[in-house]
């Protein structure tokens, strides 16, 4: 587990960029947090770290946005889904088990569909803190992701 505190959207984006640089094809990143905690900002940083040059927006209405970077990047937002089974309609398995990197916002809504291995990231706005401060907890779920957490620990040592 890795706990990082950021003090601005730029720092949250930068943390995502650093994470994106070490992700590999087939990786799944699950984001959890309340509205306004920076999930889309972090996802945009991850995409930038993966070589995506354009603006990354929340796919709330599309459910999935696809981007080209070093390899495909799939940004999924399940906030508006009523039932996790709705993901069947978009062929979520192709994203979760494909050759790109998949980032899922509101992943806690579909926990039963998340594979046994993923990076699980929880974003929280600490009570009583500054409006832009975030506590970001990164969990490696499964062996595949443990080395990424160790690399992030070394990388984040210099600060977000």
């Amino acid at each position: 587990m890795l706990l990082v505190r950021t003090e601005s959207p730029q720092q949250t984006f930068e943390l995502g960029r650093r994470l994106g640089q070490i992700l590999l094809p087939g990786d799944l990143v699950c984001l959890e947090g309340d509205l306004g905690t920076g999930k889309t900002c972090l996802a945009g940083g991850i995409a930038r770290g993966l070589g995506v040059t354009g603006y990354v927006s929340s796919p709330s209405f599309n459910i999935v946005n696809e981007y080209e970077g070093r390899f495909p990047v799939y940004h999924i937002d399940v906030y508006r889904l009523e039932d996790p089974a709705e993901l069947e309609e978009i062929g979520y398995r192709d994203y979760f088990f494909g050759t790109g990197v998949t980032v899922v916002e509101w992943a806690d809504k579909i926990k039963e569909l998340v594979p046994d291995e993923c990076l699980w990231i929880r974003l929280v706005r600490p009570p009583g803190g500054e409006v832009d401060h975030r506590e970001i907890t990164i969990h490696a779920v499964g062996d595949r992701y443990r080395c990424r957490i160790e690399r992030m620990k070394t990388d984040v040592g210099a600060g977000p």
Side-chain angles (χ1 to χ4, degrees):
M1 182 189 84
L2 174 63
L3 174 64
V4 180
R5 290 178 175 85
T6 62
E7 299 179 8
S8 69
Q10 294 80 13
Q11 286 185 354
T12 300
F13 183 91
E14 178 61 18
L15 176 67
R17 187 190 66 76
R18 289 178 176 181
L19 177 58
Q21 290 176 330
I22 64 172
L23 293 174
L24 299 173
D27 280 353
L28 175 64
V29 179
C30 295
L31 304 180
E32 174 184 7
D34 292 336
L35 282 170
T37 55
K39 294 180 297 298
T40 301
C41 181
L42 186 69
I46 291 169
R48 182 65 47 87
L50 287 163
V52 174
T53 56
Y55 177 72
V56 172
S57 62
S58 178
S60 292
F61 295 101
N62 299 335
I63 300 180
V64 180
N65 286 341
E66 298 184 15
Y67 301 95
E68 284 301 319
R70 290 192 318 270
F71 27 84
V73 178
Y74 308 113
H75 184 194
I76 301 175
D77 186 328
V78 298
Y79 179 73
R80 298 195 181 282
L81 292 184
E82 297 291 325
D83 181 347
E86 292 177 58
L87 281 178
E88 291 288 347
E89 296 173 19
I90 66 161
Y92 81 94
R93 286 183 181 88
D94 293 338
Y95 298 112
F96 283 18
F97 303 103
T99 57
V101 168
T102 302
V103 179
V104 181
E105 292 191 40
W106 300 96
D108 48 309
K109 291 184 69 167
I110 59 159
K111 280 184 178 179
E112 62 271 20
L113 299 178
V114 174
D116 293 339
E117 293 190 317
C118 67
L119 273 180
W120 196 277
I121 302 176
R122 180 164 170 68
L123 296 93
V124 175
R125 191 180 303 155
E130 295 292 323
V131 70
D132 287 336
H133 289 197
R134 301 292 183 269
E135 290 181 354
I136 302 170
T137 308
I138 305 172
H139 292 277
V141 181
D143 292 335
R144 174 185 175 107
Y145 296 96
R146 285 198 180 97
C147 63
R148 289 171 189 64
I149 291 286
E150 291 307 313
R151 186 158 173 203
M152 283 296 294
K153 284 180 181 178
T154 302
D155 188 36
V156 172

